[in-house]
Amino acid sequence: MILILKANTDTSGNAYSQLMNNLNELDGVTISTHSIKGAEQVLSEIYLLGNTGSLGIEEMQSLPCVERVVRISDEYRILGRHKDNERPIEFNYNGVLFSQQTLNVFAGLCAVDVPEHVDQMMEHLQQLGQVCTRMGAFKPRTSPYSFQGHGKKCLPWVFELAGKNGIKVIAMEITHESHIDDINHALEESGQATGVMLQIGTRNTQNFELLKSVGRQQEFPVLLKRGFGITLEESLNAAEYLASEGNSRVIFGLRGMKTNMADPHRNFVDFAHVPVVRRLTRMPVCIDPSHSVGSRDYSSDGILDVMHVTAQGIIAGANMVLADFHPKPGKALVDGPQALLMDELKYFFDDIALVRTTYEKRVQAAIDYTNQHTN
Ligand code: PEP
Ligand code: MN
């Protein structure tokens, strides 16, 4: 059971200690408190776990500071939707809003290579009014002999170039908890020139110790990619690890599933799961068309497969897109064959806008339909 407290409840006040006294008397019930920094206010929630079956909703609702009570199932306790549409997870990070209502596109380099390419990428984004990008510094590679990313030594100049080009959020994968400190330190040195969304890659979705470390820090929001060979439920539980440690600013990323049934695509595109994740949880949902498709192939209509699947994710309600671009894909150190070109950047954003408008019309049509049929 979750007790949602009135906005900006003072946790050092009298009413709050009265509430806690009441809760401490409940037999067989463990209490854990969570604060969620929303776009405008701090929301506190108290989770009652264990023997809560006999607690009445109205009784709990009458306790001091309590605004609303939601009965939850065991699954995805914190991130889950629990059939309740009034507790959106929305957060503002470095001036950018993330929620199930917004759409943010992170086009950028799969892996940071040279300053010239990073600068060109960011300049093109700035020209289009974009403030988010992706930049990989720590790369998990299948072969130990492949380029592993420049690591922490590239962070100072990547953050400086981001500041110069007005980039507010960089999605950056980490593969070890020490990378959180590396990023924190480099951001401090840069005078907080930009912000970072920590990315946990598909190979680390069930690296539980990494999840716990990333969940314990409150500084950075997290993009958790679905594991490419496990069930959706297992991946959603991985996201819940982050929240259970204290960080519920989590975005769930779909990036395709590993199976040769996906051939000739690199992974089997799973964007039909966008509405499913939105229904089961309150997390914004990201799609990664580049790592799903893995090539620059076109269909007979002249549209790139990467753009087709991006559209499929957006039309189904995706809230974030992660896409590989590169000024010179032939020279990219990782994933060049799937990178789109600088010249295609505006076309990509225009196509997304077109599809997003259609998605918004679909949502309105669903509302109209429901209204007509419930009156
Ligand atoms: C990436 O986004 O660069 C990446 C390695 O993705 P994934 O973890 O989905 O393979
Ligand atoms: Mn990649």
PDB file of all heavy atoms in Angstrom, residues 195-215:
ATOM      1  N   GLY A 195      24.716  18.229 -18.531  1.00  0.00           N
ATOM      2  CA  GLY A 195      24.203  17.216 -17.614  1.00  0.00           C
ATOM      3  C   GLY A 195      24.348  15.845 -18.252  1.00  0.00           C
ATOM      4  O   GLY A 195      24.560  15.732 -19.472  1.00  0.00           O
ATOM      5  N   VAL A 196      24.263  14.808 -17.452  1.00  0.00           N
ATOM      6  CA  VAL A 196      24.430  13.438 -17.971  1.00  0.00           C
ATOM      7  C   VAL A 196      23.286  12.554 -17.509  1.00  0.00           C
ATOM      8  O   VAL A 196      22.859  12.623 -16.350  1.00  0.00           O
ATOM      9  CB  VAL A 196      25.786  12.837 -17.495  1.00  0.00           C
ATOM     10  CG1 VAL A 196      25.863  11.349 -17.794  1.00  0.00           C
ATOM     11  CG2 VAL A 196      26.950  13.557 -18.169  1.00  0.00           C
ATOM     12  N   MET A 197      22.767  11.762 -18.438  1.00  0.00           N
ATOM     13  CA  MET A 197      21.838  10.697 -18.073  1.00  0.00           C
ATOM     14  C   MET A 197      22.640   9.407 -18.139  1.00  0.00           C
ATOM     15  O   MET A 197      23.178   9.062 -19.202  1.00  0.00           O
ATOM     16  CB  MET A 197      20.673  10.665 -19.067  1.00  0.00           C
ATOM     17  CG  MET A 197      19.728   9.508 -18.825  1.00  0.00           C
ATOM     18  SD  MET A 197      18.372   9.474 -20.003  1.00  0.00           S
ATOM     19  CE  MET A 197      17.399  10.858 -19.487  1.00  0.00           C
ATOM     20  N   LEU A 198      22.764   8.716 -17.013  1.00  0.00           N
ATOM     21  CA  LEU A 198      23.556   7.486 -16.995  1.00  0.00           C
ATOM     22  C   LEU A 198      22.803   6.402 -17.749  1.00  0.00           C
ATOM     23  O   LEU A 198      21.597   6.210 -17.531  1.00  0.00           O
ATOM     24  CB  LEU A 198      23.790   7.019 -15.555  1.00  0.00           C
ATOM     25  CG  LEU A 198      24.518   7.982 -14.622  1.00  0.00           C
ATOM     26  CD1 LEU A 198      24.619   7.373 -13.226  1.00  0.00           C
ATOM     27  CD2 LEU A 198      25.906   8.324 -15.159  1.00  0.00           C
ATOM     28  N   GLN A 199      23.500   5.714 -18.623  1.00  0.00           N
ATOM     29  CA  GLN A 199      22.860   4.653 -19.400  1.00  0.00           C
ATOM     30  C   GLN A 199      23.404   3.310 -18.929  1.00  0.00           C
ATOM     31  O   GLN A 199      24.608   3.152 -18.774  1.00  0.00           O
ATOM     32  CB  GLN A 199      23.196   4.902 -20.872  1.00  0.00           C
ATOM     33  CG  GLN A 199      22.590   3.939 -21.856  1.00  0.00           C
ATOM     34  CD  GLN A 199      22.941   4.341 -23.294  1.00  0.00           C
ATOM     35  OE1 GLN A 199      22.987   5.528 -23.635  1.00  0.00           O
ATOM     36  NE2 GLN A 199      23.228   3.373 -24.134  1.00  0.00           N
ATOM     37  N   ILE A 200      22.486   2.378 -18.684  1.00  0.00           N
ATOM     38  CA  ILE A 200      22.905   1.004 -18.389  1.00  0.00           C
ATOM     39  C   ILE A 200      22.549   0.183 -19.617  1.00  0.00           C
ATOM     40  O   ILE A 200      21.387   0.143 -20.032  1.00  0.00           O
ATOM     41  CB  ILE A 200      22.218   0.478 -17.118  1.00  0.00           C
ATOM     42  CG1 ILE A 200      22.708   1.310 -15.926  1.00  0.00           C
ATOM     43  CG2 ILE A 200      22.530  -1.014 -16.905  1.00  0.00           C
ATOM     44  CD1 ILE A 200      22.195   0.877 -14.601  1.00  0.00           C
ATOM     45  N   GLY A 201      23.547  -0.416 -20.212  1.00  0.00           N
ATOM     46  CA  GLY A 201      23.363  -1.089 -21.487  1.00  0.00           C
ATOM     47  C   GLY A 201      22.723  -2.456 -21.342  1.00  0.00           C
ATOM     48  O   GLY A 201      22.613  -3.008 -20.243  1.00  0.00           O
ATOM     49  N   THR A 202      22.333  -2.989 -22.495  1.00  0.00           N
ATOM     50  CA  THR A 202      21.588  -4.245 -22.515  1.00  0.00           C
ATOM     51  C   THR A 202      22.400  -5.399 -21.908  1.00  0.00           C
ATOM     52  O   THR A 202      21.848  -6.339 -21.366  1.00  0.00           O
ATOM     53  CB  THR A 202      21.171  -4.576 -23.964  1.00  0.00           C
ATOM     54  OG1 THR A 202      20.175  -5.588 -23.938  1.00  0.00           O
ATOM     55  CG2 THR A 202      22.342  -5.043 -24.845  1.00  0.00           C
ATOM     56  N   ARG A 203      23.741  -5.309 -21.996  1.00  0.00           N
ATOM     57  CA  ARG A 203      24.574  -6.377 -21.438  1.00  0.00           C
ATOM     58  C   ARG A 203      24.654  -6.301 -19.916  1.00  0.00           C
ATOM     59  O   ARG A 203      25.095  -7.237 -19.267  1.00  0.00           O
ATOM     60  CB  ARG A 203      25.973  -6.314 -22.046  1.00  0.00           C
ATOM     61  CG  ARG A 203      25.971  -6.655 -23.533  1.00  0.00           C
ATOM     62  CD  ARG A 203      27.209  -6.125 -24.241  1.00  0.00           C
ATOM     63  NE  ARG A 203      27.111  -6.354 -25.680  1.00  0.00           N
ATOM     64  CZ  ARG A 203      26.415  -5.575 -26.512  1.00  0.00           C
ATOM     65  NH1 ARG A 203      25.766  -4.508 -26.059  1.00  0.00           N
ATOM     66  NH2 ARG A 203      26.359  -5.851 -27.804  1.00  0.00           N
ATOM     67  N   ASN A 204      24.263  -5.175 -19.364  1.00  0.00           N
ATOM     68  CA  ASN A 204      24.352  -4.987 -17.915  1.00  0.00           C
ATOM     69  C   ASN A 204      22.996  -4.893 -17.231  1.00  0.00           C
ATOM     70  O   ASN A 204      22.927  -4.550 -16.052  1.00  0.00           O
ATOM     71  CB  ASN A 204      25.159  -3.720 -17.601  1.00  0.00           C
ATOM     72  CG  ASN A 204      26.646  -4.011 -17.545  1.00  0.00           C
ATOM     73  OD1 ASN A 204      27.058  -5.009 -16.967  1.00  0.00           O
ATOM     74  ND2 ASN A 204      27.443  -3.162 -18.161  1.00  0.00           N
ATOM     75  N   THR A 205      21.920  -5.188 -17.965  1.00  0.00           N
ATOM     76  CA  THR A 205      20.575  -5.017 -17.379  1.00  0.00           C
ATOM     77  C   THR A 205      20.428  -5.791 -16.079  1.00  0.00           C
ATOM     78  O   THR A 205      19.735  -5.348 -15.172  1.00  0.00           O
ATOM     79  CB  THR A 205      19.491  -5.479 -18.380  1.00  0.00           C
ATOM     80  OG1 THR A 205      19.738  -4.827 -19.618  1.00  0.00           O
ATOM     81  CG2 THR A 205      18.104  -5.132 -17.898  1.00  0.00           C
ATOM     82  N   GLN A 206      21.078  -6.955 -16.003  1.00  0.00           N
ATOM     83  CA  GLN A 206      20.969  -7.727 -14.764  1.00  0.00           C
ATOM     84  C   GLN A 206      22.274  -7.754 -13.968  1.00  0.00           C
ATOM     85  O   GLN A 206      22.517  -8.682 -13.208  1.00  0.00           O
ATOM     86  CB  GLN A 206      20.496  -9.149 -15.057  1.00  0.00           C
ATOM     87  CG  GLN A 206      19.008  -9.171 -15.412  1.00  0.00           C
ATOM     88  CD  GLN A 206      18.457 -10.563 -15.483  1.00  0.00           C
ATOM     89  OE1 GLN A 206      19.079 -11.437 -16.098  1.00  0.00           O
ATOM     90  NE2 GLN A 206      17.304 -10.804 -14.877  1.00  0.00           N
ATOM     91  N   ASN A 207      23.059  -6.703 -14.124  1.00  0.00           N
ATOM     92  CA  ASN A 207      24.252  -6.552 -13.282  1.00  0.00           C
ATOM     93  C   ASN A 207      23.749  -5.858 -12.002  1.00  0.00           C
ATOM     94  O   ASN A 207      23.754  -4.633 -11.874  1.00  0.00           O
ATOM     95  CB  ASN A 207      25.283  -5.702 -14.029  1.00  0.00           C
ATOM     96  CG  ASN A 207      26.554  -5.502 -13.237  1.00  0.00           C
ATOM     97  OD1 ASN A 207      26.576  -5.677 -12.022  1.00  0.00           O
ATOM     98  ND2 ASN A 207      27.609  -5.122 -13.931  1.00  0.00           N
ATOM     99  N   PHE A 208      23.290  -6.674 -11.068  1.00  0.00           N
ATOM    100  CA  PHE A 208      22.534  -6.132  -9.932  1.00  0.00           C
ATOM    101  C   PHE A 208      23.360  -5.203  -9.055  1.00  0.00           C
ATOM    102  O   PHE A 208      22.831  -4.230  -8.522  1.00  0.00           O
ATOM    103  CB  PHE A 208      21.921  -7.283  -9.111  1.00  0.00           C
ATOM    104  CG  PHE A 208      20.950  -8.093  -9.922  1.00  0.00           C
ATOM    105  CD1 PHE A 208      21.207  -9.422 -10.229  1.00  0.00           C
ATOM    106  CD2 PHE A 208      19.791  -7.512 -10.428  1.00  0.00           C
ATOM    107  CE1 PHE A 208      20.325 -10.158 -11.007  1.00  0.00           C
ATOM    108  CE2 PHE A 208      18.901  -8.242 -11.207  1.00  0.00           C
ATOM    109  CZ  PHE A 208      19.172  -9.574 -11.492  1.00  0.00           C
ATOM    110  N   GLU A 209      24.657  -5.479  -8.929  1.00  0.00           N
ATOM    111  CA  GLU A 209      25.477  -4.589  -8.091  1.00  0.00           C
ATOM    112  C   GLU A 209      25.623  -3.222  -8.758  1.00  0.00           C
ATOM    113  O   GLU A 209      25.583  -2.194  -8.093  1.00  0.00           O
ATOM    114  CB  GLU A 209      26.844  -5.213  -7.785  1.00  0.00           C
ATOM    115  CG  GLU A 209      26.758  -6.491  -6.942  1.00  0.00           C
ATOM    116  CD  GLU A 209      25.874  -6.335  -5.687  1.00  0.00           C
ATOM    117  OE1 GLU A 209      26.000  -5.317  -4.992  1.00  0.00           O
ATOM    118  OE2 GLU A 209      25.064  -7.247  -5.409  1.00  0.00           O
ATOM    119  N   LEU A 210      25.748  -3.221 -10.085  1.00  0.00           N
ATOM    120  CA  LEU A 210      25.803  -1.938 -10.800  1.00  0.00           C
ATOM    121  C   LEU A 210      24.474  -1.199 -10.648  1.00  0.00           C
ATOM    122  O   LEU A 210      24.431   0.004 -10.393  1.00  0.00           O
ATOM    123  CB  LEU A 210      26.134  -2.171 -12.287  1.00  0.00           C
ATOM    124  CG  LEU A 210      26.256  -0.921 -13.150  1.00  0.00           C
ATOM    125  CD1 LEU A 210      27.421  -0.036 -12.683  1.00  0.00           C
ATOM    126  CD2 LEU A 210      26.455  -1.276 -14.629  1.00  0.00           C
ATOM    127  N   LEU A 211      23.379  -1.947 -10.780  1.00  0.00           N
ATOM    128  CA  LEU A 211      22.048  -1.331 -10.631  1.00  0.00           C
ATOM    129  C   LEU A 211      21.906  -0.697  -9.252  1.00  0.00           C
ATOM    130  O   LEU A 211      21.407   0.421  -9.113  1.00  0.00           O
ATOM    131  CB  LEU A 211      20.937  -2.374 -10.818  1.00  0.00           C
ATOM    132  CG  LEU A 211      20.790  -2.983 -12.211  1.00  0.00           C
ATOM    133  CD1 LEU A 211      19.747  -4.099 -12.194  1.00  0.00           C
ATOM    134  CD2 LEU A 211      20.409  -1.939 -13.240  1.00  0.00           C
ATOM    135  N   LYS A 212      22.386  -1.409  -8.226  1.00  0.00           N
ATOM    136  CA  LYS A 212      22.252  -0.873  -6.866  1.00  0.00           C
ATOM    137  C   LYS A 212      23.065   0.412  -6.714  1.00  0.00           C
ATOM    138  O   LYS A 212      22.585   1.383  -6.136  1.00  0.00           O
ATOM    139  CB  LYS A 212      22.699  -1.920  -5.836  1.00  0.00           C
ATOM    140  CG  LYS A 212      21.700  -3.060  -5.659  1.00  0.00           C
ATOM    141  CD  LYS A 212      22.206  -4.004  -4.579  1.00  0.00           C
ATOM    142  CE  LYS A 212      21.523  -5.357  -4.652  1.00  0.00           C
ATOM    143  NZ  LYS A 212      22.192  -6.356  -3.824  1.00  0.00           N
ATOM    144  N   SER A 213      24.287   0.409  -7.243  1.00  0.00           N
ATOM    145  CA  SER A 213      25.110   1.632  -7.117  1.00  0.00           C
ATOM    146  C   SER A 213      24.457   2.799  -7.847  1.00  0.00           C
ATOM    147  O   SER A 213      24.428   3.918  -7.354  1.00  0.00           O
ATOM    148  CB  SER A 213      26.497   1.449  -7.726  1.00  0.00           C
ATOM    149  OG  SER A 213      27.047   0.262  -7.325  1.00  0.00           O
ATOM    150  N   VAL A 214      23.967   2.532  -9.043  1.00  0.00           N
ATOM    151  CA  VAL A 214      23.365   3.614  -9.820  1.00  0.00           C
ATOM    152  C   VAL A 214      22.061   4.066  -9.157  1.00  0.00           C
ATOM    153  O   VAL A 214      21.711   5.245  -9.176  1.00  0.00           O
ATOM    154  CB  VAL A 214      23.144   3.161 -11.280  1.00  0.00           C
ATOM    155  CG1 VAL A 214      22.368   4.189 -12.071  1.00  0.00           C
ATOM    156  CG2 VAL A 214      24.482   2.903 -11.947  1.00  0.00           C
ATOM    157  N   GLY A 215      21.363   3.128  -8.540  1.00  0.00           N
ATOM    158  CA  GLY A 215      20.110   3.472  -7.847  1.00  0.00           C
ATOM    159  C   GLY A 215      20.349   4.288  -6.595  1.00  0.00           C
ATOM    160  O   GLY A 215      19.524   5.102  -6.212  1.00  0.00           O
TER     161      GLY A 215
END
